[in-house]
Each structure stands twice: as C-alpha cells, then as structure tokens.
Amino acid sequence: MTHQQIQLPVTESPVALQQTAVTQTDLFEYVLGDPLLASSLYVNIALAGVSLLLFVFMTKDLEDPRARLIAVSVLLVPTVSVASYTGLASGLTIGILEMPAGHAAEGASVMIGGEPVDGVVSLWGRYLTWALSTPAILLALGLLAGSDATSIITAITFDIAMCITGLAAALTTSSHALRWFWYFISCACFAVVVYVLLVKWPEDAAAAGTASIFNTLKLLTVVLWIAYPVVWALGVEGIAVLPVGVTSWAYSLLDVVAKYVFAFLLLRYVTTNERVVSGDVLDVPSASGALADD
Ligand code: RET
C-alpha cells in the first residue's frame, strides 16, 4: 500500500485555523482552570446527586397515583441537573461564540490552552436542559394544585417554548437585534407561565385544599424564576456586565433554591399529606361525559 502525502493548504493566518480547532478537551480544561466557574458546576453535580438520593428515600413509600406522579416529576429535576452540569463540566455543552456587531462582547477573546481565541464562552447547555427540568417542576406544581390537563399542558408547552427560544437568543450570532428579539419571545412565553401560576392554579389549589403549600411554592417559583432572565440580560449573553464565572454561579445559586429547596418543601408536604393530594393522575373530563349532558 502506498502512502500519499496530502498537501494541506497553507494559510496566512494560523489564528484563523485555531478558531475552529477548539476541542471539547480544551473547554473541559478551560473550566477546570477557572476555579469560580469550575466550582459553580462541580458543586451542583454533587448537590444534585445528594438531593436525588434524599428524595428517593423520602418518597419510596408513597402509594397514591397522583402523589407518586408528583414524586416522579420532582425526582426528574435533580436527575436532569446531574446530566446538565456534567454536560457543562465536560465541555460538551459549552461553546465559544463570536458575538455580533453592537453586542457588548463584540471582538472579545478568551484564553484557551494558552492561546487567545475570538469569542466568549457560552454555557448554552443550561438553556437546553431547562427544557426538561422546568416542565417537571410545573407538572409537580400543577398536580399539587389539582389542576386540569388543559392548564398543565398550556403551562408546560409555553415553558418549553421559553427555554428553546432562550437557547436561540443565546446561540444567535448573526444579529444583535435578533438576539434580543428571541429574548423578547422567550419573555412572552414566560408571561403565560407566570399567569397560570399566579392566577389559574391558586384557584384550583384553594378548591383542592392545598392552597397554603401551593402559595408558598408559587411565590418561591415566581420570584426565583424572574431572576433567570435578569441574570441572562446582565451576563455574557446579554449586556455582559457579569463575567462567565459570576454568571454561572448566579444560575447555580438560583438552581439550588429553585430546584432542591423547592423540591424538598414539596416532597415533605406530599409525604405527610398523601391523602390531601390523592386522586387520579390527571382529571381530564371525558368527551362521553360531556355528550351525556346534552
Ligand atoms: C431565559 C432567557 C430568555 C428570557 C427568559 C428566560 C427564562 C428562564 C427561566 C429559567 C428557569 C430555570 C429553572 C431551572 C431549573 O432547573 C431563558 C433565561 C424569560 C425562567 C427554574
């Protein structure tokens, strides 16, 4: 077998070659080299793991189908978290993005492997995994409030739309204005979720006898969730006044309360009040029932 030598085109700008050559390993090492950023990710992997074990222990004896579904959706939250933070820590769901003209981080560069690389480090994997964890939080809240399938599905679909359009806002590099347009669409979807949480579900929870715990969790959720778009806007994706490590810690701290403290309070209630939340999984009025009334 003859070995032919392949001639690579000679480029005048070796930097241009480096731009495309940032590997996952480079990003993995970049994270490890920044103690603030690394701790914001690794601490959360550990916390999510411990929470998961605690929550499994707390819920293992539940028997009622609705209480069990609440438990399963709550258990999904730290499970997704372990995956989410592992994706970020490993460099799999992190990228270097060159911000468009007009963005505060336009022309910025980062040191990767001792070399400057054009762009900023974006932890875009967060927005992707929120599309799984936040619906699980909403499903648990909707079930706790004893809400109907229509309002639960409405809240969840707009919430997923919020996360995916938030991801689009973070990943758009062609136009500064379009980044903010995506952000605006995401906020509009968020408004629907907030409406359901503040207006629709409290009425259902009052009827179901879960108003007191629901209102505590509702407040916790609405206040903390509002902080996420604020961090986005201040962080490197938005007006870039917060550096990557600080942005990441802000999200990580919000996550600790919005996920683990929230989940603990909810599960403590469900395990001690199983009979109050008991019922069918989703009370969808049947079509035949509606016809029979005619
Ligand atoms: C983004 C940016 C675009 C505008 C809006 C956002 C809202 C994010 C929220 C995230 C909540 C995440 C939670 C995660 C738990 O795992 C995407 C930041 C409105 C509300 C609670």
Side-chain angles (χ1 to χ4, degrees):
M1 206 157 77
T2 55
H3 291 277
Q4 283 189 335
Q5 261 207 340
I6 302 166
Q7 287 289 319
L8 287 173
V10 179
T11 165
E12 284 179 4
S13 159
V15 176
L17 261 184
Q18 278 168 12
Q19 291 296 97
T20 53
V22 174
T23 63
Q24 237 177 64
T25 314
D26 293 331
L27 292 166
F28 168 71
E29 282 164 5
Y30 172 84
V31 170
L32 284 179
D34 179 340
L36 194 63
L37 180 59
S39 56
S40 75
L41 306 180
Y42 285 92
V43 166
N44 252 280
I45 297 177
L47 265 179
V50 172
S51 311
L52 184 58
L53 294 178
L54 173 70
F55 299 161
V56 169
F57 179 75
M58 283 172 81
T59 56
K60 65 182 184 354
D61 297 329
L62 286 175
E63 273 167 11
D64 174 76
R66 186 184 281 253
R68 284 168 68 101
L69 186 57
I70 294 178
V72 168
S73 40
V74 172
L75 286 177
L76 196 61
V77 177
T79 309
V80 172
S81 232
V82 174
S84 173
Y85 280 100
T86 305
L88 295 171
S90 63
L92 174 68
T93 54
I94 295 187
I96 307 285
L97 298 178
E98 280 186 64
M99 289 300 159
H103 190 281
E106 177 194 359
S109 62
V110 266
M111 294 299 283
I112 305 274
E115 302 284 345
V117 176
D118 289 346
V120 293
V121 174
S122 168
L123 277 71
W124 56 265
R126 281 189 191 273
Y127 315 119
L128 190 66
T129 49
W130 288 346
L132 268 177
S133 58
T134 53
I137 294 175
L138 291 176
L139 177 60
L141 274 177
L143 289 169
L144 175 72
S147 297
D148 55 287
T150 308
S151 72
I152 294 182
I153 293 169
T154 304
I156 288 181
T157 45
F158 276 91
D159 170 69
I160 295 173
M162 171 192 86
C163 296
I164 301 299
T165 50
L167 175 67
L171 291 181
T172 297
T173 52
S174 53
S175 148
H176 186 213
L178 283 180
R179 286 178 70 83
W180 286 105
F181 186 58
W182 280 121
Y183 180 87
F184 170 76
I185 301 175
S186 180
C187 287
C189 297
F190 183 39
V192 177
V193 176
V194 172
Y195 174 82
V196 174
L197 277 170
L198 289 183
V199 180
K200 175 75 178 78
W201 288 357
E203 290 167 9
D204 299 338
T210 52
S212 141
I213 176 75
F214 179 82
N215 287 330
T216 308
L217 295 175
K218 169 195 81 181
L219 264 182
L220 190 95
T221 302
V222 171
V223 170
L224 288 166
W225 285 33
I226 286 175
Y228 284 81
V230 174
V231 172
W232 195 102
L234 297 178
V236 76
E237 328 273 10
I239 59 171
V241 293
L242 303 179
V244 175
V246 176
T247 310
S248 186
W249 255 114
Y251 282 134
S252 292
L253 288 176
L254 286 172
D255 271 7
V256 169
V257 190
K259 296 203 266 206
Y260 315 131
V261 174
F262 166 92
F264 177 78
L265 292 176
L266 176 51
L267 290 182
R268 198 182 54 177
Y269 178 85
V270 170
T271 47
T272 47
N273 298 272
E274 189 172 354
R275 277 168 36 150
V276 183
V277 295
S278 75
D280 287 340
V281 162
L282 282 173
D283 292 326
V284 187
S286 73
S288 57
L291 287 177
D293 290 344
D294 288 344

